[in-house]
Amino acid sequence: MNSMVRRTLVVELQAGVTNRFPVLAHLSYDPADPFAVTLVFSHDGRVLARWRLDREMLADGLTRPVGTGDVRLRPESRGVGRELRMEFLGEPHADGGRHHAVVSAWAGAVGDFLSDTFRSVPPGSEETHLDAFLTDVLTGR
């Protein structure tokens, strides 16, 4: 039986042009939903945001820019380390603007987490249970 993969990382939330401050990113992967990774960002015990990302997109973001919509990922070099830059666009404001957050994570830690998910459910072996999903949707469960 495959089990959940979880990891908590200290990441940096960009505030303004150059300031960054640490927040926690709780990554989780459930083999029952094999295409998705959930990220929950928190600070001082408060949940700041929750995002579900495509696992393959997250892996691709470690090596090349990906995403054109609400989530954009790309690798960056900072000093001696490699980072994963994650850009998130939220719901529109009444004035037409949108919430915008930039988070940087150490690429090695994200890669280690993904390696654990790939051991749990190897890429290409993901299964979807479409019949069960359609039954749930059609019966209103």
Side-chain angles (χ1 to χ4, degrees):
M1 175 85 188
N2 295 329
S3 60
M4 294 278 293
V5 178
R6 292 187 172 100
R7 181 88 39 100
T8 298
L9 308 176
V10 176
V11 299
E12 292 182 321
L13 176 64
Q14 188 168 331
V17 177
T18 58
N19 296 331
R20 292 176 164 201
F21 66 92
V23 297
L24 294 177
H26 309 278
L27 290 78
S28 61
Y29 176 77
D30 183 353
D33 186 9
F35 296 102
V37 170
T38 301
L39 282 83
V40 176
F41 298 101
S42 67
H43 182 68
D44 286 340
R46 286 188 10 240
V47 171
L48 303 174
R50 179 184 315 267
W51 286 85
R52 287 174 44 90
L53 303 180
D54 178 85
R55 179 172 74 153
E56 184 177 344
M57 179 183 175
L58 186 59
D60 288 346
L62 291 170
T63 60
R64 63 182 176 85
V66 294
T68 58
D70 294 342
V71 178
R72 298 174 186 141
L73 309 173
R74 74 172 188 242
E76 284 193 343
S77 293
R78 180 161 183 207
V80 295
R82 285 186 35 246
E83 292 182 337
L84 173 63
R85 176 186 166 99
M86 300 177 275
E87 229 178 310
F88 301 97
L89 296 171
E91 295 296 320
H93 297 242
D95 65 5
R98 293 178 78 179
H99 289 286
H100 178 240
V102 176
V103 177
S104 296
W106 182 53
V110 175
D112 290 346
F113 167 78
L114 287 169
S115 291
D116 290 346
T117 73
F118 295 146
R119 276 192 288 283
S120 178
V121 179
S125 70
E126 300 94 344
E127 292 182 12
T128 56
H129 302 283
L130 190 56
D131 290 339
F133 171 74
L134 288 175
T135 300
D136 288 349
V137 169
L138 295 174
T139 60
R141 288 191 226 170

